[in-house]
Amino acid sequence: MGKRDYSIDILRALALAGMIVAHCRPGALVMQLRGFDVPLIVFLSGVSYVISSRKNQETRGYLSYCWKRFKRLAFPAWIFLIMFYAILFTGLSLKGNLVIRWEEVIGNFTFVTDWYTWIIRIFLVMALCAPFLYGCSKRLGPEFFPPVFAGILLAYELLARLTDNKVYYYITMNIPYLMMFLYGVMTPRLSGKRIRLVAGLFFVVFVALAVYYYSTTGAFQITQIRKYPPRLYYTSFAITVTSVLWILRNRILKLCDSIRITSVLSFIGSHTLWIYFWHIIFLMLLEGRIGNHFVLFACVFPLAVAADYIQVRIVESVIGKLDNETTCKNLRLLFLG
């Protein structure tokens, strides 16, 4: 087993922080600066998939792989949602105006929603498609990847203009994220020159679209306006930043080592799922009492990390006292993500 790449954990922690910043509803500038977070975390999932596939993919079938990923993503989300609605039912929310609507509850549990758990739907789709994208990546030469990548996203941009049908929306919005996952899968085979080519190409696209929206509206439009579904204006900025961060990842790692925060960021980056869930609970509890967005983030993010740290220690303690390997494996799968 090779040495763990802490730069991936650090970038994943950065992406998670960006997602939590967005949920604290900051101003337009901050919203724009963090407009790469979800694509980055999907990209890193592709990178991580390649690393894990070298060890595991040949030893398990597709159905067993999908079942494991389903347990890894859906079951923890359902556990979190039970906790979340239990808090609402007991009236502990400090916002004071939350109303439980059963159609929203069903949507959240099935992930057919635009609420916080929508990202679980995206990752479940990634899991279903990952082996096929990995197979495609082996047949796609690195020299052909940039034009194929850009061509598919351009075709999606044209298709996205055809209809706003809800079924169409839920199906097609996965395409840009699938492409980001493929980008992550391809990255270990791409030279630095080709990654810089991708960054430069999509930076030009982003600038051109920014100028277009400015000329038609009279003001700079943040890329968030084209996130649902993710259109080219949103993805071009995200791909540019993701590519630059990947190129600079070793320098970022050295910087984190020099100020001795690598271990903290590595913990965050390797436990993103439950930190994400915990932040929703703390956000719900504090949002009604803290009006400043930066203060809200400064409270919610550390509390979510601390809650997950306690959770990890409790689960590891329980696992240490158990002899049943299957039970231990399932507990890790459910609570240590």
Side-chain angles (χ1 to χ4, degrees):
M1 185 180 295
K3 184 179 178 182
R4 186 178 183 90
D5 188 345
Y6 291 108
S7 68
I8 295 176
D9 289 334
I10 291 170
L11 293 184
R12 194 180 284 118
L14 176 63
L16 176 64
M19 294 163 67
I20 295 176
V21 164
H23 296 160
C24 294
R25 305 184 189 282
L29 176 61
V30 175
M31 283 296 284
Q32 179 57 52
L33 292 175
R34 46 67 52 188
F36 60 89
D37 44 23
V38 176
L40 173 60
I41 211 164
V42 171
F43 166 86
L44 294 171
S45 296
V47 174
S48 299
Y49 183 84
V50 174
I51 296 172
S52 64
S53 293
R54 290 169 180 167
K55 304 193 295 284
N56 303 320
Q57 192 61 28
E58 293 82 6
T59 63
R60 63 174 184 264
Y62 177 70
L63 291 179
S64 63
Y65 157 78
C66 289
W67 175 237
K68 182 177 180 180
R69 295 304 297 169
F70 186 81
K71 289 194 294 183
R72 167 73 175 74
L73 293 166
F75 284 19
W78 289 337
I79 293 170
F80 153 71
L81 284 169
I82 291 170
M83 292 169 49
F84 178 84
Y85 285 113
I87 291 174
L88 289 191
F89 274 122
T90 55
L92 293 179
S93 170
L94 299 180
K95 294 182 73 171
N97 59 348
L98 291 174
V99 177
I100 297 175
R101 298 181 177 87
W102 288 106
E103 62 273 18
E104 293 180 1
V105 173
I106 294 170
N108 292 337
F109 271 91
T110 58
F111 314 124
V112 183
T113 178
D114 294 327
W115 193 67
Y116 299 105
T117 54
W118 72 272
I119 198 168
I120 303 299
R121 180 182 75 247
I122 297 297
F123 278 104
L124 285 172
V125 173
M126 297 302 107
L128 291 173
C129 298
F132 303 106
L133 291 173
Y134 184 52
C136 290
S137 73
K138 292 181 177 180
R139 296 172 176 81
L140 181 62
E143 67 276 13
F144 296 113
F145 174 73
V148 169
F149 186 42
I152 291 175
L153 288 175
L154 178 59
Y156 172 78
E157 177 71 10
L158 298 175
L159 282 172
R161 296 173 180 269
L162 297 178
T163 179
D164 59 358
N165 178 273
K166 199 163 188 178
V167 174
Y168 177 89
Y169 164 77
Y170 280 119
I171 294 174
T172 61
M173 78 170 296
N174 296 298
I175 294 175
Y177 293 116
L178 287 170
M179 290 300 98
M180 286 302 300
F181 187 89
L182 179 61
Y183 185 22
V185 169
M186 286 293 300
T187 292
R189 296 174 54 206
L190 297 176
S191 65
K193 182 178 180 179
R194 285 203 172 90
I195 295 174
R196 287 191 291 272
L197 173 63
V198 170
L201 172 64
F202 281 96
F203 177 70
V204 170
V205 172
F206 163 67
V207 171
L209 289 172
V211 170
Y212 167 75
Y213 286 120
Y214 182 86
S215 66
T216 56
T217 65
F220 174 76
Q221 301 296 307
I222 64 173
T223 56
Q224 186 79 8
I225 66 169
R226 291 292 183 267
K227 184 179 179 180
Y228 302 104
R231 302 278 289 275
L232 196 55
Y233 186 42
Y234 173 78
T235 54
S236 60
F237 176 79
I239 292 166
T240 300
V241 177
T242 294
S243 301
V244 171
L245 288 172
W246 182 255
I247 292 168
L248 298 177
R249 70 191 186 282
N250 290 325
R251 294 185 184 182
I252 296 171
L253 174 59
K254 288 181 181 179
L255 174 63
C256 293
D257 285 339
S258 67
I259 56 179
R260 301 187 178 184
I261 60 171
T262 299
S263 59
V264 174
L265 294 180
S266 180
F267 175 84
I268 294 170
S270 56
H271 296 86
T272 52
L273 186 66
W274 269 101
I275 294 175
Y276 180 81
F277 290 150
W278 278 112
H279 103 272
I280 299 170
I281 291 177
F282 288 114
L283 186 64
M284 178 190 67
L285 294 175
L286 297 177
E287 192 174 16
R289 290 287 181 88
I290 301 177
N292 185 285
H293 309 300
F294 294 104
V295 174
L296 182 60
F297 173 79
C299 293
V300 169
F301 191 44
L303 284 171
V305 174
D308 184 70
Y309 181 82
I310 294 170
Q311 174 179 311
V312 168
R313 291 293 168 260
I314 292 173
V315 173
E316 287 179 342
S317 176
V318 171
I319 289 174
K321 298 175 182 178
L322 298 176
D323 296 325
N324 190 304
E325 183 58 32
T326 300
T327 301
C328 292
K329 186 182 297 184
N330 286 328
L331 285 174
R332 292 189 189 97
L333 206 63
L334 293 175
F335 295 106
L336 298 185

